Amino acid sequence: KEQSKPLQQRTNNQTIIMLSNCIRRNAARSFMRSSTSQILLSNVCTNDTFHSTTNTNYPAGSTCTPPAIASYSRSSTFEGHPLFVLHRSHSTFPTPKNGNELEKRRAFSALSPDVADLIRAEFESVDLNKDGKMDSEELKQLLRKHKPTFSEAEILEISELFYVGNAGKAVPFDRLLEAIDRIVASKDHNTEKTHTNSLGVGSCAAEYYYDVNHHQWKKDELDIELTHVEPETFSDKLAFNAVKLVRLGFDTATSWNGEITTKKVLQRVIFLETIAAVPGMTAAIIRHFKSLRYMERDGGLINMFLEEATNERMHLLTFVCMRDPGHLFRAAVIGSQFAFGSGFLLAYMISPKFCHRFVGYVEEEACATYTKIIDAIENAPENSDLAKWRTERAPKIGISYWHLGENGTVLDLMYAVRADEAEHRDVNHEVVEMKPGEVNPRYDPSLRIDAALKTYVRDMMTKGPKTE
C-alpha cells in the first residue's frame, strides 16, 4: 500500500488535470460564441494566476513541468464579464519556451488550435528537406493529397503562381499558417477593386500566365443572367446608341426578327464571329506596343484580350464546321472586317474606354442573341431542323475546346458560347472602370492563391476537427 500511494496520487492528479482542461476548453468555446470579439487564449494564460498543490520532484533539466492540481482565478482580460475562463497551470506535455512560441501556436482568429495543428502536421508530412518551409514543389505534393478537390491542372497552376508570387522563395510554415488564417477570416475579395495578398503574392504571373482551364464551364456557370450596364457618361451613351443602331440595321438585313431557322442561325453567328474577334486582338496589339514604349507592365490585360480574340475565333471555327459559307458571304466578311477593323483601331487609339464600353454593349446583344437561339432549339417542334440540334453531336473541335463530353450536342455548344459572351460582356464593362496599376479582373494571381488556400482549409475541416 505504501509503495502504490505515490502512483495513485499521480493518477488522481492526472485525472483532475484532464477534467480541468476539458472545462477550460468548453468555457472558452462558450465565451467565443457569446462574445462579439475574439480574445486570444495566449493572453488569458499570461494574465491568470495559478498555484501548484504538489511538490513532486523531477530531474534537473527536464522539459516537462510536474503534474499538478491547478487553482484558478478570474483573468484580468475578462474583467467585468460574467464568465470565468479556466485553464490548467501545469501540463505533462512540453511547454513553450517563451510567450512568442505560445502566440504562434494559438493566436489565430479563424482557425481552431486543432485545425491549425492538423494543417501544420500535413505541412511537415511534405517537408522533404525538413527546413520548416513550403516551396512550390512541396505545395504540389500537399495539394495532391486533396484530390479530387483539386485537379492536376489546378495543382500545377497554383504551384506556378506560388513560385512566381514569392520569387522562388520557400515560405515558413508559421507565415503560411498566419496567411491562411487571415484569408479564412477575411471576407470575399472578389468584389474588391484593390486587394493585398496575405502572402505578399504579386502580379508578376499575370504578365505571362493565363488560366489553362479557361472555358471548361461547370453546369451552374452555364445558366447566365442577361444584365445591362446603364450608360452614364456621354461616351457611354454614344457607345450604347451606336450598338443599337448597328443591331437594328443588321437584324433588318438578315430578317432575324422573323422565323428562326438553322440556316439563319448559322449565317448570323458565322458573320458576327468574324467581326467579334477583331476588338480583342486590336486591344492586345495597342496595349502591347504601349507596354514596350513605356517599359512597364500591363497588369495581364494583354493576355486577357489575346485570349478573348482566340475564343471568338474558336466560335467561328466551330460553326464553319456546320456550314460552309459561299463566295458572296466571304466577300462581305472581308469588306466588313476592313471597315470595322480600321475604325475600331483608330477609335481605340483615341479612347480605349469608349471602345471597351462599346464591346460590352455588343456582348450584351450577343448574350440576348444566343439566349434566343437556345430557347428556339429547346422549344422547337419534334423532327424539325432546330429540334435535331438537341441531340446532334457538336463538331469535334468544339467538343475538344469546351470539354463538352463525348456526347456533347449542338445545344450544349450554344450554352458554352453564350457563357463565353457573358464573360466578355462583364470583363469589358469592368475594364472601363479600372484604374492605372490594377490587375486583370479575370485573372488576378493573388486572388487565385487566396481562393486555393481557402478551398484547402475547407477540405481539411471536412476531414479533421471542426471549428466552433
Side-chain angles (χ1 to χ4, degrees), residues 54-327:
T54 61
N55 296 312
T56 309
N57 295 324
Y58 277 77
S62 174
T63 58
C64 297
T65 55
I69 303 174
S71 61
Y72 303 93
S73 65
R74 182 190 297 269
S75 168
S76 60
T77 304
F78 299 94
E79 192 66 35
H81 198 280
L83 177 68
F84 285 92
V85 178
L86 308 177
H87 58 91
R88 58 181 176 162
S89 61
H90 294 94
S91 171
T92 57
F93 298 98
T95 58
K97 297 180 180 179
N98 52 56
N100 292 334
E101 184 178 346
L102 181 61
E103 187 175 353
K104 287 181 180 178
R105 289 177 57 187
R106 295 187 177 181
F108 294 116
S109 59
L111 300 177
S112 71
D114 289 336
V115 171
D117 289 343
L118 195 64
I119 294 175
R120 182 183 289 274
E122 196 164 66
F123 287 175
E124 293 171 352
S125 70
V126 297
D127 187 15
L128 301 180
N129 54 5
K130 306 300 180 184
D131 61 351
K133 298 180 181 180
M134 181 74 66
D135 60 31
S136 60
E137 290 300 319
E138 291 168 343
L139 182 63
K140 286 181 188 177
Q141 301 306 319
L142 179 72
L143 297 181
R144 281 174 180 145
K145 291 175 176 283
H146 293 267
K147 287 183 176 182
T149 301
F150 295 98
S151 66
E152 185 63 23
E154 289 173 330
I155 292 171
L156 296 176
E157 175 194 359
I158 294 165
S159 61
E160 173 70 10
L161 296 179
F162 185 85
Y163 178 88
V164 175
N166 292 288
K169 295 180 181 178
V171 178
F173 290 164
D174 289 331
R175 183 185 164 203
L176 186 54
L177 270 172
E178 291 167 2
I180 290 174
D181 181 65
R182 286 195 295 271
I183 291 168
V184 173
S186 65
K187 63 180 181 179
D188 188 6
H189 294 292
N190 290 335
T191 58
E192 296 184 6
K193 288 288 184 182
T194 58
H195 168 57
T196 302
N197 182 266
S198 299
L199 276 175
V201 172
S203 60
C204 297
E207 296 300 318
Y208 68 90
Y209 198 87
Y210 202 68
D211 188 358
V212 295
N213 305 308
H214 203 204
H215 302 294
Q216 297 178 21
W217 301 110
K218 298 177 182 177
K219 188 175 181 179
D220 60 317
E221 295 172 334
L222 295 173
D223 187 18
I224 67 117
E225 182 182 356
L226 296 179
T227 60
H228 172 61
V229 174
E230 289 295 334
E232 297 179 357
T233 66
F234 173 77
S235 176
D236 291 350
K237 293 175 182 178
L238 182 62
F240 176 72
N241 289 312
V243 170
K244 285 297 184 181
L245 181 62
V246 171
R247 166 137 198 178
L248 178 63
F250 189 70
D251 286 352
T252 302
T254 58
S255 303
W256 179 248
N257 294 323
E259 181 185 0
I260 298 179
T261 64
T262 56
K263 180 180 178 180
K264 281 186 179 181
V265 169
L266 290 176
Q267 281 183 335
R268 184 181 184 86
V269 296
I270 289 174
F271 185 85
L272 290 178
E273 296 299 351
T274 62
I275 305 299
V278 172
M281 182 60 70
T282 303
I285 290 173
I286 293 177
R287 287 181 174 275
H288 177 74
F289 280 107
K290 180 182 177 182
S291 179
L292 296 178
R293 285 196 310 273
Y294 289 93
M295 304 179 191
E296 63 183 13
R297 298 180 183 181
D298 185 65
L301 293 176
I302 294 174
N303 288 333
M304 182 178 72
F305 289 126
L306 283 174
E307 196 280 334
E308 179 181 313
T310 299
N311 178 247
E312 298 286 10
R313 188 171 63 88
M314 290 303 300
H315 295 177
L316 173 65
L317 296 179
T318 302
F319 289 133
V320 294
C321 291
M322 301 172 65
R323 179 181 176 84
D324 186 19
H327 295 295

